[in-house]
Amino acid sequence: MAIDKELNEYLAKTSRSRALHEEATAVMPGGNSRTTTFFDPYPFYVQRGQGAYVWDADGVARLDFNGNYTSLILGHAPPDVVKAAQEAAALGMSFPGPTEQEIRLAEILTRRIPSLQTMRFTNSGTEATMNAVRAARAFTGRPKIAKFEGAYHGTHDWVMVSVSPDPRAAGGRRHPKPVAWSAGLPPTVLKHTVVLPWNDAEACTQIIEKEAANLAAVLVDPLLGIGGILPPADGFLEQLRAVTEQHGIVLIFDEVISLRIAWGGAQERFGIRPDLTTLGKIVGGGLPVGAFGGRADIMAAYDPRRGGARISHGGTFNANPLTMAAGAATLNALTPEAYTRLDALGERLRGGVTRLLMATRRRGQVTGVGSLFCLHWTSAPLTDYRSSRPKDPEAPTRVFLGLLNEGILLTQRGLGACSLAMTDEDIDRFINALARVLARE
Ligand SMILES: Cc1ncc(COP(=O)(O)O)c(C=O)c1O
């Protein structure tokens, strides 16, 4: 089906959302507060979520593989998490002082992730990566940071570089140029950001060695999550660890998404110990959250005792008790058996989609690890950001809208996550819906 037919069906099903969007545009540019969730002509308004489903303002239910961009690992409104948040709320919404809940969640996380010797909480993954980068600069006294082409780490200036550049403006594949991903970045950001090619260990080593004297940190999402869930090639992360260690560069794992693939995150699954780690999404149980931590000697810059912290880290809502309680309730539900189940759901989905694409001879692939997956509309070998760009740029939107019309919610670029609220039948429903969307094309 052509994209306009999918669009017409979407418009016909979402009249209440359209009316709300029109009201919203009077008071917000584009009608909302979150670039990521907007799509043309307007996003549907969510009314509620329960288990594996969300309902929109027109009463349409959709099976939710977006899960607030991979945050809702237990599904919507899990009773134990809702109860924990309600009990915390009844005692007061936030305070000008620490609470015991903060210690308990930090204990859970530092037990799960041995590289987190000490840690602190923020309100978002963006603040977590901002602080990790700052801590690395403070520790090394060096000005530059390196990040990967195609990697997303939030919306502070230092990481809004080469997130989804047009390759024609981004230099050679093995020596990518920094490209601003937003208006309003000061030129110094581009001068101080080194861009690396994902999964090319040799090129990365050369670039890192050349920049080493000025490089404070290498920031890496070990799955290149928003870039399409492109797992690291064998030995790639090991090489990053070796070269950063050799040159005293702080290796930061951004596990805002990848924590969900194992008890101790991607660092456990791939057997690498970073110097710093950033967290977000699942660790707040659905409430606003971020966290960062790692080597105690680096994190010591935040210690306010004995003369004051070298890095000031305020935040009116940092470690707020509702988030801490909901986060602990969520992590307590994530037992080793839960990860086995999440892996099985992900395997079932990837296997089913792969068989579907082969049977229908479609130009497409599905990548993923554990409960995460991403649809790609190219048959090129998938190694890095550039290889994952769709041959037909409209394909992801067409499939996204087609799935919406089938009652399935994914992210616009094709990234999805299974939750523990899902059954095998839900996974099969996804595969059958995708088959119908592709058959309409
Ligand atoms: C890897 C990664 N880092 C950081 C962030 C930013 O997190 P937040 O949206 O909570 O600011 C995201 C968000 O999707 C992410 O995927």
Side-chain angles (χ1 to χ4, degrees):
M1 201 190 266
I3 199 158
D4 32 334
K5 285 207 182 142
E6 295 288 7
L7 257 180
N8 287 341
E9 190 176 332
Y10 175 74
L11 291 172
K13 281 188 169 143
T14 54
S15 56
R16 176 78 185 125
S17 285
R18 182 162 63 250
L20 287 170
H21 175 69
E22 276 159 22
E23 285 179 46
T25 51
V27 282
M28 287 171 274
N32 74 13
S33 305
R34 197 171 168 193
T35 309
T36 341
T37 55
F38 179 81
F39 56 90
D40 267 327
Y42 54 83
F44 64 84
Y45 278 71
V46 184
Q47 210 164 50
R48 68 186 179 94
Q50 186 64 57
Y53 285 83
V54 283
W55 281 263
D56 74 8
D58 290 277
V60 177
R62 293 191 179 84
L63 182 55
D64 185 7
F65 285 89
N66 177 313
N68 198 10
Y69 284 80
T70 78
S71 306
L72 303 173
I73 195 164
L74 305 180
H76 291 273
D80 287 351
V81 179
V82 172
K83 182 162 171 272
Q86 281 171 340
E87 284 173 3
L91 295 174
M93 304 295 278
S94 61
F95 307 108
T99 64
E100 187 173 335
Q101 282 102 325
E102 178 180 0
I103 311 171
R104 301 295 161 242
L105 184 56
E107 284 171 348
I108 293 173
L109 288 165
T110 51
R111 268 201 299 271
R112 281 178 172 240
I113 309 170
S115 74
L116 287 184
Q117 291 175 334
T118 61
M119 62 174 297
R120 288 172 81 98
F121 290 101
T122 64
N123 294 296
S124 66
T126 292
E127 291 165 65
T129 60
M130 183 179 76
N131 274 284
V133 161
R134 185 174 291 151
R137 286 197 169 107
F139 186 73
T140 59
R142 300 174 187 168
K144 293 191 179 182
I145 64 155
K147 75 172 286 291
F148 284 86
E149 191 173 64
Y152 178 73
H153 302 286
T155 55
H156 61 89
D157 285 355
W158 296 106
V159 292
M160 291 188 94
V161 176
S162 296
V163 175
S164 56
D166 180 342
R168 288 169 303 188
R173 178 178 219 122
R174 307 195 74 206
H175 291 277
K177 272 195 343 203
V179 178
W181 193 54
S182 171
L185 293 193
T188 186
V189 165
L190 295 185
K191 279 198 210 122
H192 288 93
T193 307
V194 174
V195 182
L196 301 170
W198 184 242
N199 270 336
D200 187 335
E202 195 186 292
C204 287
T205 305
Q206 273 172 15
I207 298 170
I208 292 169
E209 283 183 336
K210 183 161 161 263
E211 298 281 354
N214 287 316
L215 206 50
V218 171
L219 175 60
V220 50
D221 171 345
L223 294 178
L224 205 74
I226 301 285
I229 315 281
L230 300 176
D234 283 348
F236 181 64
L237 296 176
E238 285 80 353
Q239 177 57 16
L240 289 183
R241 179 62 286 184
V243 70
T244 48
E245 190 155 19
Q246 193 185 344
H247 293 282
I249 299 164
V250 176
L251 181 64
I252 306 170
F253 266 23
D254 181 355
E255 297 233 34
V256 166
I257 287 186
S258 64
L259 180 68
R260 68 149 47 226
I261 70 170
W263 174 265
Q267 55 195 270
E268 175 193 284
R269 197 141 174 166
F270 299 127
I272 305 287
R273 190 179 172 102
D275 300 307
L276 291 179
T277 298
T278 55
L279 303 170
K281 304 217 192 252
I282 68 166
V283 306
L287 292 173
V289 79
F292 64 101
R295 274 171 50 185
D297 56 345
I298 302 177
M299 291 298 290
Y302 289 86
D303 187 340
R305 296 170 298 180
R306 291 183 286 279
R310 288 179 64 222
I311 302 178
S312 173
H313 175 222
T316 306
F317 297 108
N318 286 356
N320 83 80
L322 271 69
T323 301
M324 299 297 104
T330 299
L331 289 165
N332 287 336
L334 290 171
T335 58
E337 298 73 44
Y339 287 98
T340 307
R341 174 75 188 135
L342 287 163
D343 282 4
L345 290 167
E347 283 296 313
R348 187 179 182 94
L349 186 141
R350 288 187 294 273
V353 171
T354 302
R355 282 191 294 279
L356 168 69
L357 294 172
M358 279 167 64
T360 53
R361 296 175 181 274
R362 288 286 310 199
R363 186 165 64 191
Q365 298 171 66
V366 59
T367 56
V369 181
S371 53
L372 292 165
F373 66 93
C374 190
L375 305 177
H376 294 270
W377 303 109
T378 171
S379 39
L382 290 169
T383 51
D384 59 359
Y385 161 72
R386 296 194 191 194
S387 61
S388 74
R389 284 166 64 83
K391 289 278 173 293
D392 165 11
E394 250 187 17
T397 310
R398 221 166 39 231
V399 172
F400 169 73
L401 284 172
L403 286 171
L404 278 188
N405 292 334
E406 290 284 340
I408 306 269
L409 176 60
L410 202 60
T411 68
Q412 294 161 55
R413 292 178 62 181
L415 168 69
C418 306
S419 80
L420 278 175
M422 290 175 180
T423 60
D424 286 356
E425 290 69 40
D426 290 328
I427 303 297
D428 296 345
R429 217 188 123 195
F430 176 91
I431 297 160
N432 292 334
L434 183 63
R436 285 193 294 277
V437 171
L438 296 181
R440 289 204 291 271
E441 293 209 323

